[in-house]
Amino acid sequence: MKVFKLYRVGFLVLLLVLLVAVSVWSLLSGDINISWKQLPYVLQHADSMEYSVLMNLRVPRLLLAFAVGASLSLSGVILQGIYRNPLVEPFTLGISGGASLGVALMIVLGTAFSLGGLLLPVAGFAGAFITIFLVYVLGMGKSAANINRMLLTGVMISFVCSSLLMFLLSISTAEDMHNIIFWTMGSLEQPDGRLIRLMLFGSIGVFLLTHLFAHALNALRLGEDEAIHLGINVKLTIRVLFVLASLLTGLCVSIAGIIGFVGLVIPHVMRKAVGSDYRILLSASFLGGGLFLIVCDVLARTLIAPNELPVGVLTGITGGVLFIILLSRKGSAWKK
Amino acid sequence: MEEIKKPLLQIDALCGGYKSFNLQQIGFALDKGDFAGIIGPNGSGKSTLVKMLLGDLKRSSGKMLLEGKELSAMPVRQKAQTIAVVTQHIEDTSMSVLEYVLLGRLPYRELFQFFEKREDVAKAEKYMELTGILKYRDQPLSSLSGGERQLAAMARALTQEPKLLLLDEPTSQLDICHQVQVLDLVRELNCELGLTVLMIIHDLNLASSYCNKLLLLNGGKLHTQGAPEEVLQFSIIEEVYKTVVVTRPNPVTGRPTVFLVPRHQIDKLKKERK
């Protein structure tokens, strides 16, 4: 316990407080402004319009923003841990490419809006899943995790997928094209409550599961061989974590489209803030990712109101700028 | 019936290695409390042998028995409780020295145990004290010098409380003061805790001063094994290392000591004889 420095726990508490503050901000802002003095009144009057906006639109959206941001960030930190490489993020492995291709195929085939709107997420997930499977089978080879090979396989599959996507775009109608592009940009508007619940419980479930591997991730900071010498089942650890991170990313992509950069930037920021002890880094990344996407979502909704920015655009810009600032500062080398 | 004392580690007809290099029919045994040194020229198979013992490299045939149990059949976790290793390359990491040493308790962790126990920290601190690095407890490992890092790795290995300690050239990057400091420490552990030690060491004289058993490898084969007096004979060393040497007992310890003779001195001697 002595090792657990107090400020690290303090940082988690700070993240939680910020998360609550940002959530309230998110709930109150939008087309219909609700001031926070009104909040108790609104909550007591279930028949008011404000109440229905709050409960039917903003709360689900808030939960989805949190779950997606947290999941992407968590997937990022896990993949960086098992690959021992700071540049890996869920989308480097080609998962987004596969998902986009799946969705585009459904839209072009014109079957997109059957199955009660569930078909697009299912297609996205299937695309992501097939990509993961390919990267896993082609990239793993005989050894536990041939890191470079797996990364290269992911990047190549990404390229193939985006080329196929271009092809689909070139043969599709203007309306299909619009739908595909809109989906690719990522959106947190998800009318289906079941999907939101799935995302939320999925993210929390994986978050809890990864904590069984926190010590293994710590040992992996010394390299695969040393981790084995410390009695860690490295093969099993890498495989389970890879599959968990990929499934979680697949889920995010299929429900909210492509929201880039969260998985790269947030873990990096959190490493700087709390260090690389995965017992705390996992929680910090999870909370930080959720926090970041909630903020980006509020900004996306309010910056050019009444219009809405695609949230993926905002995460890309803010995340990218943040990353460049961090990198250009002194002593910014990645800490293993 | 008299009980036959089993050796701690028994290696029989061990073969295997890489495509271009193989260990051939290695066989030796270590008793509990042995301090053994693996010596031999570069590329003779010293590291390959250690890697095979650790299971980093698969053997093609032969037996590796630890207390009568086959090593390769042992679960990694149990193996980590029995064998600890200090490798040459110690990863540059930002974790504190205490966090690093505490990793040595991982083999004893229970499945749902999230924080280290008080006794784990106590053990880590005990071995940090023993290796003299307790003063760096909260500093990042990467801020330590090469020698200190070696000591930290030693503390981590000891925290695993193994029966067999493997050392891969523990003195290769150290000055003579630190060389003696590290090896004195290992000897102390060997004598007082009864820890069995197997180390790769290049320096024949250090090997002679500290080890009670030497394994001389050459070209993937075990050339000679035995006490330093048996192995460090000038004829054997000259044959294996292809270098002219003279051996004399150390004037203080009486252990065999190997002196090198440079080529120009040999030429000079030859001329004088003519």
Side-chain angles (χ1 to χ4, degrees), chain A residues 39-262:
Chain A
L39 198 60
Y41 172 84
V42 172
L43 285 177
Q44 280 161 15
H45 294 77
D47 52 346
S48 66
M49 184 182 66
E50 279 89 352
Y51 183 87
S52 118
V53 167
L54 204 61
M55 284 304 161
N56 297 334
L57 294 176
R58 292 192 187 162
V59 168
R61 186 158 178 153
L62 172 72
L63 291 178
L64 186 65
F66 173 79
V68 169
S71 300
L72 288 174
S73 173
L74 182 68
S75 304
V77 82
I78 293 171
L79 291 172
Q80 286 152 19
I82 58 179
Y83 287 116
R84 312 205 308 126
N85 183 328
L87 289 180
V88 187
E89 68 141 355
F91 296 153
T92 336
L93 293 170
I95 297 168
S96 59
S100 316
L101 188 63
V103 168
L105 202 63
M106 282 303 136
I107 293 177
V108 170
L109 289 175
T111 46
F113 301 100
S114 57
L115 251 180
L118 272 183
L119 195 69
L120 277 193
V122 170
F125 193 77
F129 193 79
I130 291 170
T131 322
I132 297 160
F133 183 75
L134 280 177
V135 173
Y136 189 87
V137 170
L138 295 174
M140 281 279 182
K142 278 175 193 165
S143 68
N146 190 332
I147 291 160
N148 290 330
R149 192 171 142 168
M150 216 152 159
L151 273 180
L152 280 175
T153 313
V155 171
M156 285 310 129
I157 289 181
S158 274
F159 272 122
V160 173
C161 285
S162 68
S163 303
L164 286 174
L165 187 67
M166 291 292 169
F167 168 71
L168 282 180
L169 282 172
S170 72
I171 59 161
S172 62
T173 62
E175 200 201 330
D176 285 350
M177 202 188 264
H178 177 258
N179 281 337
I180 295 173
I181 291 177
F182 188 76
W183 188 88
T184 328
M185 284 192 297
S187 160
L188 291 167
E189 215 173 285
Q190 175 56 252
D192 197 320
R194 282 170 301 175
L195 290 179
I196 294 175
R197 253 170 280 150
L198 178 67
M199 188 69 240
L200 193 62
F201 291 127
S203 64
I204 293 172
V206 171
F207 171 69
L208 294 177
L209 270 180
T210 49
H211 277 80
L212 287 178
F213 296 93
H215 290 89
L217 282 168
N218 277 343
L220 271 173
R221 288 165 69 187
L222 302 180
E224 278 179 44
D225 280 347
E226 284 286 66
I228 295 174
H229 302 156
L230 288 168
I232 301 294
N233 191 336
V234 169
K235 251 185 204 176
L236 180 82
T237 303
I238 289 183
R239 290 188 174 175
V240 170
L241 286 178
F242 176 80
V243 171
L244 283 180
S246 313
L247 288 181
L248 202 54
T249 312
L251 206 59
C252 287
V253 177
S254 59
I255 293 175
I258 294 168
I259 297 174
F261 258 115
V262 183

Side-chain angles (χ1 to χ4, degrees), chain A residues 1-5 8 84 211-216 218-219 221-223 225-226 228-233 235 275-280 335-336, chain B residues 54 56 76-77 80 83 85 87 89 91-95 98-100 102-104 106-107 109 111-116 121 125 137-138 156 160:
Chain A
M1 267 307 272
K2 282 187 217 163
V3 194
F4 244 64
K5 290 189 189 116
R8 295 182 174 172
R84 312 205 308 126
H211 277 80
L212 287 178
F213 296 93
H215 290 89
N218 277 343
R221 288 165 69 187
L222 302 180
D225 280 347
E226 284 286 66
I228 295 174
H229 302 156
L230 288 168
I232 301 294
N233 191 336
K235 251 185 204 176
S276 289
D277 186 337
Y278 281 86
R279 283 177 298 179
I280 198 126
K335 288 176 183 165
K336 276 180 221 164
Chain B
L54 286 168
D56 293 351
V76 275
R77 192 179 136 90
I83 303 182
V85 61
T87 53
H89 173 73
E91 192 73 41
D92 210 8
T93 151
S94 64
M95 62 177 92
L98 179 61
E99 281 177 284
Y100 176 73
L102 268 174
L103 287 179
L106 277 186
R109 194 180 74 93
L111 182 60
F112 291 103
Q113 183 193 336
F114 196 61
F115 299 105
E116 46 278 321
V121 179
E125 283 177 341
R137 187 179 184 273
D138 295 315
R156 198 213 65 210
Q160 280 174 257

